[in-house]
Amino acid sequence: TRKESSAVSDVYKRQDTSSFDIVISNPPYISFEEKKDIMKEVRNYEPSNALFADEKGLYFYRKIIENLAKQIKRKQFLFLEVGINQPDGVVKILKNNNFNVVSIKKDISNIPRCIIAERS
């Protein structure tokens, strides 16, 4: 039998993620420049740190991917929810850290929304 585990990881702390085969993340990805365009109900009532990220919204993707790339783990899959206009930037970060993009899935509105990548 295989032991299954899950954990929440904090990108601000050094974490050993080498024991995970699959990492799934929906990080804050809205750029601060886009804040004015967000629906008032979201902007005024959701925690800012759950929505917005530096580096045009790419900060947490870079941190997550770079942290995973430092691990010794031979094979890992990474599932990332991405915002509009972010797939190209996230793909570039993935490729720069030796991940291969397996697939980019679109949401119900036909917008690229999930990137699936692997490192082997």
Side-chain angles (χ1 to χ4, degrees), residues 106-111 113:
K106 295 180 179 180
D107 66 13
I108 197 166
S109 298
N110 208 32
I111 297 169
R113 188 61 69 190

Side-chain angles (χ1 to χ4, degrees), residues 32-50:
F32 286 101
E33 296 81 15
E34 295 175 285
K35 190 172 187 174
K36 65 184 178 335
D37 301 327
I38 301 301
M39 292 184 318
K40 183 175 69 171
E41 296 79 15
V42 174
R43 185 179 62 237
N44 293 341
Y45 298 104
E46 293 292 329
S48 185
N49 62 351

Side-chain angles (χ1 to χ4, degrees), residues 26-104:
N26 177 14
Y29 58 72
I30 302 169
S31 71
F32 286 101
E33 296 81 15
E34 295 175 285
K35 190 172 187 174
K36 65 184 178 335
D37 301 327
I38 301 301
M39 292 184 318
K40 183 175 69 171
E41 296 79 15
V42 174
R43 185 179 62 237
N44 293 341
Y45 298 104
E46 293 292 329
S48 185
N49 62 351
L51 299 172
F52 303 103
D54 286 323
E55 300 176 24
K56 297 183 180 178
L58 298 176
Y59 173 80
F60 289 102
Y61 298 112
R62 186 179 55 74
K63 291 292 284 185
I64 291 164
I65 294 164
E66 287 176 354
N67 285 342
L68 288 172
K70 292 176 188 173
Q71 303 300 319
I72 300 170
K73 183 81 177 165
R74 288 178 295 168
K75 187 166 188 162
Q76 286 181 312
F77 286 92
L78 179 57
F79 293 74
L80 297 168
E81 181 175 337
V82 296
I84 295 173
N85 302 319
Q86 289 181 322
D88 291 342
V90 175
V91 166
K92 183 177 180 181
I93 296 168
L94 285 162
K95 288 182 177 180
N96 287 341
N97 287 279
N98 299 314
F99 279 86
N100 298 312
V101 175
V102 174
S103 181
I104 299 176

